[in-house]
């Protein structure tokens, strides 16, 4: 059976006109995906194993794979592009592995134990239900700063920004000298209510820098009011600590990627993705805002696709080798989470909300020989050593090994044939460690493991939907990631989605989503404005004046940062926003302001009306409760500048017979027995084609398994729609 030539001049079923001008990279825990985009939006993808110790190696290998698909050299690729966009996990891995900087902390006297105390929610985060019941297994997250390197100084500013106690500067000098003697690499400063009035933090920072200069040391000073000037001291403290702790190594990884890009001819600076969507320079002063950038790209890509298909209620599901990430867009609204959890730390970092479970093709399978209990993970084989079938030193069976054993993966076409899967080696190990222990046949055990994984993902999707308060029939499921199409049938069965869609470029969909983002800055500050439900004209106008003053200050800060990054002032757009709630509620809703300034009571009413409209979209209309009044907890400003984006081409539907993409038959075990499954080349499927299962649709970077009697239809955008029998 011959494989089609996939490195020719076809991109998105359209001829390539020019060379790429954008490189988008998503470095996950297992694979690094690349997408190349030209001036007209045509694109091509590449893939390689992630290299955590030096991410530049995986970046270059993945970019080379994409360049080969385009038919150009690395030098031609990098010398011609305007944007290199990289989203990875380097900083998060630094936090997880506790390999960051040696930190010291200066805080308000009386708060020295804040790190050790933490918050109840973060202390129990990521624990299983059983572990939450049995507190004997519980332990707090390892502190980033030990108690002996935490120093309290006398000072106090109240919630209104007034100085209650002056700063005792001699205590600051003594604390700074102790930390310098303790050979810290960074000093963090966090005082209470500094987000309202930072005068004490600024003075503490100045004294520390003076002491550092006297000692001739090289120590960086971080202040919480500069990193994240918002309410909630514990989350603000975590933000400044993680900025100081993890971003130094992350910057080195990103600098290595920039260096290797410039080595091959790239002329500009590398960009990365912010956790709330949008691009920024790798020199961004608050780089911790990019720590979970990879999965965010999928939500951005989903919003882009949703506009094409005319559905604004979407479930985004990303299954790779390590995790199953889910995002929700409800009636056009994407939820912003102001205090996400990151390795059991609550941070003040606005983030597009994601739900994640450990469920991917790299999950390690274990069977207890006494109880016969089967466990999926939580460990993943990752990219090194990877599953047994990769033959790179892996010894523990994984879900990917089960897929190979059951004939669902083509052993000679993984990564386009660059990796030949050792199926018999995987089968022998799986039989010894799993099937024989369970006392069942290899195929039955392997499919049972896959069913467990898909059931976990299916249940997770149901939980996410139930939290939105609307019926599954209103949602379209978008499935992507290298393993998403492979397990799509089981993950989505029985839920009742309006539609189920996957993509020819599913493996690089998060990278695709990253390239749909614009350059962005987001600035915000905490406020406390309680607006009565029946406020008079003068009261509303006064609130409006306060809001406008803050927006003007934030506009200047955001625009100045973007101009410093090289964006022309006339290309920068600004949109103010508010975080609001009905008075007395616990959760905020992000509201894009309907106007740039609030100059009258009528303008303020327009803002309140916009909040109620957004609230009704996110929740049910009947849940509105304006009689309680309104509370503005945060004011912010988003500044953006455009960049070129990929384009999905719309073409007329043709014949339904997919014979042109057919490339043979292979035995595949599905539903308890072996089937002769028709094989199709994914990139050769055309609009109008319909594939009926049992079938396997292959791509160098992913595989779509079509169960017996299920159907896949290709629409005019060349999106693949999956229908259950």
């Amino acid at each position: 059976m011959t494989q089609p030539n996939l490195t020719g001049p076809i991109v998105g079923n359209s001829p390539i006109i020019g060379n790429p001008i954008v490189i988008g990279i998503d470095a996950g825990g297992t694979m690094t995906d690349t997408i190349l985009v030209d001036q007209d939006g045509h694109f091509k993808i590449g893939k390689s194993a992630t290299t955590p110790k030096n991410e530049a190696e995986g970046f270059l290998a993945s970019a080379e794979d994409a360049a080969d698909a385009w038919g150009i050299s690395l030098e031609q690729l990098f010398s011609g592009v305007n944007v290199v966009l990289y989203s990875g996990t380097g900083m998060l891995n630094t936090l997880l592995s506790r390999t960051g900087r040696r930190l010291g902390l200066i805080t308000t006297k009386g708060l020295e134990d804040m790190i050790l105390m933490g918050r109840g929610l973060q202390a129990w985060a990521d624990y299983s239900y059983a572990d939450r019941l049995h507190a004997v297994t519980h332990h707090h997250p390892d502190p980033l700063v030990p108690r002996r390197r935490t120093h309290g100084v006398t000072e106090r500013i109240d919630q209104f920004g007034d100085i209650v106690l002056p700063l005792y500067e001699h205590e600051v000098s003594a604390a700074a000298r102790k930390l310098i003697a303790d050979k810290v690499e960074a000093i963090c400063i966090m005082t209470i209510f500094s987000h309202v009035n930072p005068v004490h933090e600024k003075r503490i920072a100045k004294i520390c820098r003076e002491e550092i200069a006297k000692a001739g040391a090289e120590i960086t000073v971080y202040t919480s009011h500069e990193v994240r000037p918002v309410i909630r001291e514990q989350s603000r403290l975590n933000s400044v600590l993680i900025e100081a702790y993890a971003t130094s190594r992350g910057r080195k990884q990103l600098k290595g990627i920039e260096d290797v890009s410039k080595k091959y001819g790239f002329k500009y600076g590398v960009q990365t993705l912010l956790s709330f969507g949008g691009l920024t320079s790798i020199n961004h002063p608050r780089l911790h805002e990019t720590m979970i950038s990879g999965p965010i790209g999928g939500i951005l890509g989903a919003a882009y696709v949703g506009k094409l298909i005319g559905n604004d209620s979407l479930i985004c599901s990303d299954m790779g080798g390590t995790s199953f990430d889910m995002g929700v867009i409800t009636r056009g609204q994407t939820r912003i989470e102001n205090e996400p959890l990151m390795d059991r730390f609550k941070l003040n970092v606005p983030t597009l909300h994601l739900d994640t479970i450990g469920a991917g093709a790299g999950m390690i399978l274990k069977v207890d020989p006494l109880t016969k209990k089967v466990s999926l993970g939580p460990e993943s084989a990752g990219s090194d050593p990877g599953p047994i079938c990769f033959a790179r030193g892996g010894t523990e069976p994984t879900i990917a090994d089960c897929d190979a054993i059951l004939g669902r993966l083509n052993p000679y076409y993984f990564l386009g044939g660059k990796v030949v899967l050792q199926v018999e080696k995987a089968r022998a190990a799986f039989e010894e460690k799993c099937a024989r222990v369970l006392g069942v046949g290899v195929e039955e055990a392997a499919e049972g493991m896959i069913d467990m994984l898909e059931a976990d993902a299916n249940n997770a999707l149901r939980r996410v939907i139930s939290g939105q308060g609307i019926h599954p029939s209103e949602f379209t499921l978008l499935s992507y990631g290298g393993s998403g199409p492979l397990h799509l049938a089981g993950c989505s069965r029985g839920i009742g989605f309006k539609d189920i869609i996957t993509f020819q470029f599913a493996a690089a969909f998060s990278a695709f989503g990253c390239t749909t983002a614009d350059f962005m800055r987001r600035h915000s500050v905490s406020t406390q404005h309680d607006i009565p439900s029946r406020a008079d004209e003068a009261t509303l106008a006064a609130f409006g004046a306060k809001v406008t003053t803050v927006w003007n200050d934030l506009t200047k800060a955001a625009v100045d940062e973007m101009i410093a990054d090289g964006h022309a002032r006339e290309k920068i757009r600004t949109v103010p926003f508010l975080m609001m709630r009905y008075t007395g509620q616990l959760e905020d809703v992000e509201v894009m302001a309907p106007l740039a300034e609030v100059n009258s009571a009528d303008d303020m009413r327009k803002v309140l009306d916009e909040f109620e409209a957004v609230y009704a979209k996110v929740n049910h209309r009947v849940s509105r409760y304006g009689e309680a009044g309104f509370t503005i907890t945060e004011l912010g400003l988003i500044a953006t500048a455009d960049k070129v984006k990929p384009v999905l081409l719309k073409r007329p539907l043709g014949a339904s017979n997919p014979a042109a993409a057919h490339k043979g038959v292979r035995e595949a075990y599905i539903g308890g027995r072996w089937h002769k499954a028709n094989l199709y080349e994914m990139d050769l499927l055309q609009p109008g084609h319909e594939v009926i299962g049992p079938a396997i649709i292959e791509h160098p970077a992913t595989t779509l398994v079509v169960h017996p009697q299920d159907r896949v239809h290709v629409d005019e955008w060349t999106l693949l729609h999956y229908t259950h029998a």
Side-chain angles (χ1 to χ4, degrees), residues 684-703:
L684 298 183
L685 290 175
Q686 303 295 318
H689 280 171
E690 186 173 72
V691 173
I692 302 174
I696 297 176
I697 304 174
E698 296 181 343
H699 184 278
T702 192
T703 299

Side-chain angles (χ1 to χ4, degrees), residues 247-513:
T247 60
S248 176
R249 179 168 294 187
R251 286 184 196 278
K252 289 180 182 177
Q253 289 270 29
L254 291 170
K255 186 66 169 63
I257 287 156
E258 186 172 81
D259 289 345
V260 78
S261 299
K262 290 184 175 181
K263 176 183 175 183
Y264 284 92
F266 183 53
K267 306 179 186 69
Y268 310 104
V270 169
Q271 306 288 319
T272 188
L273 188 68
L274 295 157
S275 61
F276 43 83
L279 308 184
T280 188
S281 164
I282 63 171
N283 299 313
H284 183 51
R286 299 174 299 280
L287 202 62
H288 72 286
E289 294 178 351
T290 72
M291 286 187 72
I292 51 174
S293 56
I296 300 302
I299 298 181
L300 300 178
Y304 180 84
V305 170
K307 293 176 182 177
L308 293 182
I309 64 176
N311 188 355
D312 60 1
S313 289
L314 307 167
I315 298 287
C316 322
S317 65
D318 180 358
M319 182 181 284
T322 306
S323 64
F324 183 60
D325 302 316
M326 296 158 287
V328 183
I329 301 174
T330 307
R331 300 187 178 110
Q333 297 295 316
T334 305
R335 177 181 164 193
I336 291 285
E337 189 171 1
N338 268 330
E339 287 189 289
L341 273 165
M342 195 175 298
D343 191 32
R344 301 174 65 205
F345 287 98
K346 271 278 190 183
L347 302 185
N348 271 331
V349 182
T351 304
L352 295 180
H353 179 76
L354 284 171
D355 289 282
T356 301
I357 64 169
M363 301 301 290
I364 291 174
L365 309 174
K366 291 169 284 190
V367 180
D368 188 294
L370 296 177
T371 64
K372 304 295 190 289
K373 179 184 176 182
V374 177
S375 300
L376 304 184
E379 304 88 359
S380 170
S383 58
D384 186 13
I388 295 172
C389 60
F390 283 15
R392 296 183 58 181
T395 58
E396 300 300 323
T398 66
I399 292 292
D401 293 310
C402 295
D403 288 318
I405 291 166
L406 300 183
R408 301 183 186 187
L409 291 176
N410 185 340
Y412 304 105
Y413 199 39
F414 194 81
L415 294 184
K418 292 183 178 180
V419 175
V420 178
L421 302 182
Q422 305 298 311
V423 179
E424 289 307 315
K425 184 175 182 179
R427 183 185 180 91
F430 180 81
E431 182 174 20
E432 176 190 348
K433 296 191 175 187
C434 296
R436 197 176 298 160
V437 178
L438 290 170
V440 298
V442 172
E443 289 80 8
E444 181 183 354
E447 187 167 50
M449 303 290 187
I450 292 173
D451 289 345
M452 287 180 63
L453 174 87
E454 293 173 351
D456 286 346
N458 188 289
N459 290 332
L461 287 171
R462 292 175 188 269
R463 287 195 301 271
V464 167
I465 293 169
S466 66
Q468 304 306 305
I470 62 178
H471 197 271
S473 60
E474 293 188 41
F475 283 105
T476 292
L477 175 68
L478 303 184
S479 177
Y480 49 90
S483 305
L486 187 62
H487 298 285
L488 172 59
C491 293
S492 60
R493 192 174 302 278
I495 297 178
F497 288 110
K498 178 180 181 180
D499 198 359
I500 301 169
I501 296 176
T502 189
F503 310 88
Q504 291 180 329
F505 52 97
F509 188 81
S510 289
F512 166 84

Side-chain angles (χ1 to χ4, degrees), residues 53 101 122 131 163 186 239 326 350 394 399 422 425 433 444 479 489 571 576 580 614 621 626 652 656 666 670 710:
K53 292 180 181 177
R101 280 172 159 179
Q122 74 179 29
D131 285 332
I163 297 175
S239 296
M326 296 158 287
I399 292 292
Q422 305 298 311
K425 184 175 182 179
K433 296 191 175 187
E444 181 183 354
S479 177
K571 298 288 182 68
M580 296 183 64
V614 171
R621 180 181 58 81
S656 62
R666 184 169 72 242
I670 306 172
D710 290 354

